Amino acid sequence: MAALNDLIRERRRKLEAIKAKGLDPYPAQAKRTHKIAEVVAGFDRLGRGKKKIYLVGRVRALRDQGKMVFADMRDMTGRVQCVVLPKSSAIERAKEMRPEWVLKVTGKVNALPEKNIKVGVLNGDIELEVLTIEVLA
């Protein structure tokens, strides 16, 4: 029982920290311009880093590389690698992210540098450069 009470206190502490940052911990809706499969299929139409898109999905894997943060984000249609660059206003939020969080991200789809392309892997040649992050759940 004590462990359950500790868990409840910890979750309430995290909820208050989110509210203290002026964020709505339970947003009613999230705008999405594309599903991940549409991004992968329409990469050339998205202007190669020129058009801003909105995705909603769950963080499946997370890699904090110190200056940059990488995350694999998945929705019901597929997976895409997201990168938050050091100069991005979203870097602080990215460093707080955890696997299984549901996010709305704003970003630009870019081709991976030639040396980083994963041959034979679906989506192995693109990534989403994240500009903003909104935690949904």
Side-chain angles (χ1 to χ4, degrees):
M1 191 65 162
L4 180 59
N5 288 334
D6 290 342
L7 179 62
I8 291 169
R9 271 193 296 278
E10 178 65 15
R11 288 187 177 175
R12 285 184 178 152
R13 184 191 64 75
K14 288 180 179 180
L15 176 63
E16 292 308 315
I18 290 170
K19 289 179 179 178
K21 291 180 180 181
L23 303 172
D24 179 1
Y26 306 108
Q29 62 183 359
K31 176 184 172 185
R32 171 197 327 233
T33 59
H34 298 82
K35 293 179 181 165
I36 291 174
E38 295 168 339
V39 171
V40 173
F43 174 57
D44 290 325
R45 287 191 322 269
L46 293 174
R48 294 186 176 260
K50 294 185 176 105
K51 184 176 178 184
K52 191 184 293 187
I53 65 168
Y54 300 89
L55 293 179
V56 175
R58 183 177 301 274
V59 176
R60 300 303 298 178
L62 192 59
R63 298 171 300 287
D64 186 342
Q65 302 295 318
K67 291 183 180 180
M68 299 171 26
V69 176
F70 293 90
D72 288 345
M73 195 161 134
R74 178 174 291 282
D75 69 8
M76 69 288 250
T77 66
R79 179 200 70 82
V80 69
Q81 175 174 280
C82 300
V83 60
V84 185
L85 300 174
K87 66 181 190 292
S88 172
S89 61
I91 192 68
E92 185 177 314
R93 175 67 43 83
K95 290 190 172 287
E96 298 172 347
M97 285 189 314
R98 296 291 173 257
E100 300 303 319
W101 281 17
V102 178
L103 307 174
K104 175 183 132 184
V105 297
T106 306
K108 300 182 289 184
V109 182
N110 295 320
L112 282 173
E114 192 71 32
K115 67 179 182 174
N116 295 346
I117 291 177
K118 299 172 194 94
V119 178
V121 176
L122 184 63
N123 310 5
D125 57 348
I126 67 168
E127 66 184 4
L128 182 73
E129 179 185 336
V130 176
L131 304 173
T132 65
I133 298 172
E134 181 179 343
V135 178
L136 301 178

